[in-house]
Amino acid sequence: MKKFKFDLSMAVYISALMLALGVFLPLTNIPIYGDVSYHRIAKIEAYLVVVFALAAPVMLFLNQTKRLFFAPLGIWIVLLFPALKSALTPKGSKGMFSGITDGASSVMGEFAARLFLNIANFEWGGLIFIAGLLVFTVACVLKALKK
């Protein structure tokens, strides 16, 4: 009987699938609004997360493991960009940086980042999304460093 071997590549594949599906599953429930998925409140950002999540298995298939850490980095930037933008922009300032980034993120994107950072009660889909995100990040970074 052959023993099943679970390695980092398998963790990348499974967590990428969890992430790609997790953006469409309910993260939390807001009483009046109902179930909230990341896709429902930030469509473009959700598709970017799916693209980055699916890029990692493609990189593994193409044996590009040194570049594997770009996938979780891209996802974290997409998820945290509106929060980082508002943290880096001084209150009441309309400088060059805020003018450039105002067009880059939508109101719903900022709402999605605030919601994502402040969820206290995750629904089952949110748990899949967060678990996939954490496992994906660790597996991709470890696999990239291992090569």
Side-chain angles (χ1 to χ4, degrees), residues 56-124:
V58 171
M59 283 187 244
L60 282 178
F61 182 75
L62 297 175
N63 203 22
Q64 296 291 321
T65 55
K66 290 181 181 179
R67 295 186 178 106
L68 201 55
F69 68 91
F70 285 116
L73 180 66
I75 291 173
W76 282 103
I77 288 171
V78 167
L79 292 175
L80 299 176
F81 180 75
L84 292 173
K85 182 194 82 143
S86 65
L88 294 175
T89 305
K91 301 279 189 249
S93 171
K94 283 293 183 187
M96 184 176 76
F97 181 76
S98 68
I100 293 169
T101 59
D102 282 345
S105 73
S106 65
V107 174
M108 289 306 282
E110 289 181 30
F111 174 71
R114 287 191 186 124
L115 177 70
F116 181 74
L117 293 173
N118 296 309
I119 292 177
N121 296 321
F122 282 100
E123 290 285 322
W124 62 274

Side-chain angles (χ1 to χ4, degrees), residues 9-25:
S9 297
M10 186 65 70
V12 170
Y13 290 127
I14 292 171
S15 61
L17 182 63
M18 290 171 64
L19 253 174
L21 293 176
V23 297
F24 301 104
L25 300 175

